[in-house]
Amino acid sequence: MKVELKNTTKKLCVIGDPVLHSKSPLIQNTIISALGLDYIYLCQPVKREELPRWLAAAKAAGYAGFNATMPHKEDLVTLMDELDEDAKCYGSVNTVCIKNSKLYGYNTDGRGFLRALLDEGIDPAGKRVVLLGAGGASKAVALKLVQAGVKSLVICNRTEEKAAALCAYSDVMSTELFDPASLRRAVSTADLLVNGTSLGMDGGGGQFDDVSFLEALPKAAAVCDLVYYPAQTELLARAKALGHTTMNGLGMLLNQAIFALEHFTETDLDVPKLRALAENALNVS
Ligand code: ATR
């Protein structure tokens, strides 16, 4: 991709370890170029132990901001001068703006997911939701779903203690085990099922041993996967075959990126239009 650089061009990047596989530079530079913004978005590997030193270097080098992926999202929390409500609530930062050498931390993951759901016509308010997973992405999704007014949220995770810890956030949350019988029982009264585990993801995410628990899910329920590559996981393919509305994780990925760019540029952006543009550039299949 060709990006025009000027002496005034402001620097943004994504940091992580590993990070070279990240789609963020392609998404952000596509949008930056389409809007004619004077920014460039780079990819910067940063080792976990190097984070404080890198933050000082980013300030000195005049970075306008950056996004963060594993392993930095939690570590960034205590290193910020200010945090937004979502970053505080999740204990995780995915977007940092640098202004006058001060660090402002945000988390756009939960908002990105909720916006993607609403854009699919799925309003979680008043719904009974089952969430598979209790890792970083699941936490943002779980807490945003509670804020959006779900009636109940059952978290099924391989490591039950992690699900139980998440449930301290709200009385509407409870846990179930991750074995086939428990999953079947949990989904049998659900209006919405979300997979927040890495199962189904290309590149070593592993696969569900068995997705037959979907047969117990009421037919009107929607099924969402936070995985976006492949575009259709085995879980979504089976759900679709059973007649459920399905949604993959691409909308969340793109929306959280657009919301991050809104923070960097301090402007409101046309989310659906830019999402379509970036989706086209990614060409996920
Ligand atoms: P992310 O930031 O993408 O959420 P993560 O924090 O590492 O990544 O979380 C990965 C999620 O996938 C966790 O819920 C994890 O379950 P554990 O908490 O038990 O580790 C889940 N996961 C990963 N591999 C799994 C597997 N083989 N079976 C079931 N769950 C799995």
Side-chain angles (χ1 to χ4, degrees), residues 132-138 157-159 162 178 196-199 201 205-206:
L132 312 181
S138 295
N157 195 49
R158 178 180 59 180
T159 310
K162 275 165 71 178
F178 201 78
T197 75
S198 45
L199 296 174
M201 193 188 291

Side-chain angles (χ1 to χ4, degrees), residues 80 130 143:
M80 297 293 105
V130 172
L143 303 192

Side-chain angles (χ1 to χ4, degrees), residues 69-70 73-74 109 132-140 155-163 178 195-199 201 204-209 226:
T69 185
M70 64 173 291
K73 287 173 144 184
E74 285 84 20
D109 287 334
L132 312 181
S138 295
K139 183 173 186 181
I155 303 187
C156 308
N157 195 49
R158 178 180 59 180
T159 310
E160 202 201 352
E161 303 79 63
K162 275 165 71 178
F178 201 78
N195 175 40
T197 75
S198 45
L199 296 174
M201 193 188 291
Q207 292 294 336
F208 282 93
D209 291 336
L226 302 194

